[in-house]
Amino acid sequence: MNKPQSVVAAGHALTAEAAAEILADGGNAFDAAIAGVCMSFVAEAVFASPGGGGFLMARAAGQRDARLFDFFVETPLKHRSADEVSFFPIQADFGPATQEFHIGLGSSATPGMAQGLFAMHEAYARLPMTRLVEPAIRAARQGLPLSDFQAYLFTVIAPILKESAEAQAIFAPGGKLLKAGDTFRNEGLAETLAWLAEDGAQLFVDGDIGQAIAAQSRDLGGHLTLDDLKRYEVRLRDPLFWRFGSASVALNPPPSAGGALIAYGLSYLEAHAERGSIIDAHALGTAMIASNQVRKSHGEQLGVRLARGQLMQEIAAAVAATSTAPRAYRGTTHISVIDADGNTAGVSLSNGEGNGFIVGDHGFMLNNMLGEEDVVDGAPGEWREGARMSSMMAPTIILEADGTVMALGTGGSNRIRTAILQVAVNLLAHRMDVDAAVLAPRLHVERCGTVSFEPGFSEEEEAALRSLGQEAKAWPERNLFFGGVHVARWHEGRGGEGAGDPRRQGGAIVV
């Protein structure tokens, strides 16, 4: 019998290739995930940065239980007075619509990325960190052709990438944004990654880069101080476990919101199926409406019952637990890896869109997570001090009764939960292969009542979807609006398979 394969799926071909290189060199899934994360700083610079944060859902081979590493950002310990803070709006241009983001040093929350990488490494990794950063360092120094998707993202957030001379030097040399096919190079980031691998996470706490972060914040109008960086800790959490049929689903627990809302949707749909109805587009839409309602109520309506009569106290309580945390939902990418032994890693990352200013000569921006429009259901710039922020990111691991394990996750702001819900249903209820599950048309229902959907639904399904909301929006083609779900699936006897979502130019590799 041939040795089972390893599999990786990610948001950029080079991110997947970096992880695959490490797998081929004897690394495990966690080594590969770390290498993929570091490459994402280079190849997916709009979404990921050493100045942001994220989550790892980890399952060691042979174990049923998973662990959640929370290294997401935290609000600063103290508000600086408004007249001292650099915090201002820019318009992101999506073509058909624009959206206001806030940037400046005052938009940055305390990053946890460096500490998260080393917490992952200490707990699970096999190879030295100096080896794991090599693919990213090589790409950053030699340069890489800018992909169509990343070039498009550059145009969307052009005001951020051109805000400072240091940012322009990397993303828009000579004042002109790099275009698809142009060589993108970031030698400052290469040096930072090499330095980080040698010195460890302390470099970003009170080492030279931590000192540079604090000094920049002090001098250019930020809230962050060395006390914020020193206080930060990676938090290990028990996942929110939920059953769907015979499968066990490990989800991101509070204070993040995505996992609880996915669990609620799965329960709603399972009850729908128990009543003898198939889980079709209309059922998915009604599940999204129900999830929006329980989210809006923050769990106060504990009388919401499924048809089988069960009180959804556990999920409603989980949703309630996410309601008071400051929210940061944008700018996300994801990496899924399962190695030949069955070790499983799902990592979701975010830097928001970046604050517009490069830290020293280190080749990266801090996040702009405090620039969300709805950080605390108030005006931008208002937030509770010293709090771990809530994210919609939901790296997910699914274990089926026959030993099949899956890792999946996505970017997509508040569409993360609905994208993962739909792909999970495609995999578990409709028994699709991973490519079909990812390619299948998606829908999303906003709290305002707008029902958006991609082409590919039948006429009857489209009619049913239009009846669900106050407004219907039929998209002409698959779109990044509906997320970018990257899936790895593995079975000891059948090997691995993966799918990177074409909506975000994702890729998958079997090693």
Side-chain angles (χ1 to χ4, degrees):
M1 178 177 173
N2 293 330
K3 184 178 180 180
Q5 305 108 317
S6 303
V7 58
V8 55
H12 192 288
L14 290 179
T15 304
E17 288 172 13
E21 177 182 325
I22 295 301
L23 289 167
D25 198 28
N28 63 22
F30 308 106
D31 293 305
I34 292 169
V37 168
C38 293
M39 180 62 84
S40 74
F41 300 157
V42 183
E44 303 177 63
V46 172
F47 290 147
S49 160
F55 304 89
L56 163 72
M57 185 70 77
R59 171 191 173 267
Q63 307 260 330
R64 291 199 67 84
D65 291 338
R67 302 170 77 191
L68 190 284
F69 288 66
D70 176 349
F71 51 99
F72 198 48
V73 300
E74 286 186 350
T75 59
L77 293 170
K78 292 182 180 179
H79 270 279
R80 196 169 174 180
S81 63
D83 60 356
E84 296 179 327
V85 172
S86 168
F87 185 78
F88 51 93
I90 62 97
Q91 293 293 322
D93 185 1
F94 291 91
T98 61
Q99 185 174 358
E100 184 175 272
F101 298 156
H102 284 73
I103 64 170
L105 270 294
S107 70
S108 295
T110 308
M113 187 67 73
Q115 293 94 322
L117 287 174
F118 278 89
M120 294 162 59
H121 189 266
E122 180 179 358
Y124 293 116
R126 182 181 299 161
L127 301 182
M129 187 68 84
T130 50
R131 172 68 183 100
L132 304 184
V133 299
E134 284 180 5
I137 291 173
R138 187 169 62 241
R141 285 179 174 158
Q142 295 177 357
L144 55 96
L146 194 66
S147 71
D148 292 341
F149 181 59
Q150 292 297 318
Y152 164 69
L153 293 175
F154 278 20
T155 67
V156 171
I157 63 164
I160 298 175
L161 303 183
K162 295 171 127 182
E163 176 58 36
S164 63
E166 294 78 11
Q168 281 194 40
I170 296 171
F171 300 101
K176 294 184 178 180
L177 285 173
L178 293 173
K179 304 184 298 298
D182 287 348
T183 298
F184 176 67
R185 184 178 288 106
N186 191 339
E187 294 183 6
L189 179 58
E191 294 304 314
T192 294
L193 291 173
W195 199 0
L196 176 65
E198 292 287 351
D199 287 13
Q202 203 65 26
L203 179 67
F204 274 72
V205 179
D206 55 4
D208 284 4
I209 293 181
Q211 296 282 348
I213 290 171
Q216 184 187 54
S217 180
R218 179 192 65 228
D219 297 341
L220 298 180
H223 301 281
L224 295 179
T225 67
L226 278 178
D227 286 342
D228 291 292
L229 302 177
K230 291 177 180 178
R231 176 181 179 272
Y232 186 90
E233 293 182 351
V234 176
R235 300 187 185 180
L236 295 182
R237 306 187 191 277
D238 292 328
L240 176 61
F241 285 102
W242 206 249
R243 301 290 298 184
F244 186 77
S246 62
S248 175
V249 185
L251 295 157
N252 198 358
S256 286
L261 292 165
I262 293 167
Y264 188 91
L266 289 172
S267 290
Y268 189 101
L269 291 168
E270 190 163 40
H272 190 89
E274 286 182 359
R275 295 197 300 268
S277 299
I278 62 171
I279 300 178
D280 58 9
H282 184 267
L284 285 164
T286 56
M288 292 175 195
I289 291 171
S291 298
N292 287 340
Q293 290 170 343
V294 76
R295 182 185 178 199
K296 183 178 181 180
S297 69
H298 300 316
E300 295 170 359
Q301 296 179 353
L302 295 181
V304 175
R305 294 177 181 271
L306 301 181
R308 59 190 176 192
Q310 288 187 339
L311 190 64
M312 290 289 291
Q313 291 178 343
E314 181 178 351
I315 294 302
V319 173
T322 72
S323 65
T324 58
R327 295 193 294 271
Y329 288 171
R330 296 195 309 262
T332 307
T333 191
H334 179 83
I335 303 163
S336 294
V337 190
I338 308 176
D339 66 30
D341 295 320
N343 294 300
T344 306
V347 189
S348 294
L349 312 166
S350 180
N351 198 45
E353 301 79 28
N355 70 6
F357 296 84
I358 303 298
V359 176
D361 58 358
H362 303 303
F364 71 92
M365 293 182 193
L366 289 175
N367 65 83
N368 67 327
M369 298 298 191
L370 303 181
E372 293 268 348
E373 291 176 303
D374 59 351
V375 171
V376 287
D377 284 331
E382 297 178 5
W383 34 266
R384 183 159 55 89
E385 296 172 335
R388 186 64 55 104
M389 298 189 79
S390 174
S391 171
M392 196 60 74
M393 286 189 282
T396 300
I397 290 177
I398 300 173
L399 185 63
E400 295 195 76
D402 69 351
T404 298
V405 62
M406 290 177 270
L408 64 157
T410 182
S413 188
N414 67 333
R415 281 87 61 196
I416 288 174
R417 61 190 172 89
T418 57
I420 292 176
L421 175 68
Q422 290 170 88
V423 173
V425 166
N426 290 341
L427 291 166
L428 296 173
H430 301 318
R431 310 310 301 180
M432 293 182 183
D433 64 37
V434 293
D435 285 318
V438 168
L439 288 173
R442 292 188 200 142
L443 64 114
H444 177 74
V445 183
E446 294 281 0
R447 282 183 288 178
C448 64
T450 299
V451 181
S452 299
F453 53 90
E454 294 180 316
F457 292 104
S458 68
E459 290 184 8
E460 292 78 10
E461 287 175 320
E462 283 198 14
L465 290 174
R466 292 178 186 278
S467 72
L468 288 174
Q470 299 173 351
E471 179 184 357
K473 182 175 181 180
W475 291 69
E477 57 189 15
R478 293 190 191 95
N479 192 275
L480 63 92
F481 174 85
F482 296 92
V485 184
H486 310 310
V487 181
R489 180 161 65 182
W490 179 91
H491 184 278
E492 184 175 12
R494 296 190 295 270
E497 57 178 333
D501 201 325
R503 294 170 182 83
R504 296 189 174 214
Q505 285 194 343
I509 299 174
V510 174
V511 182

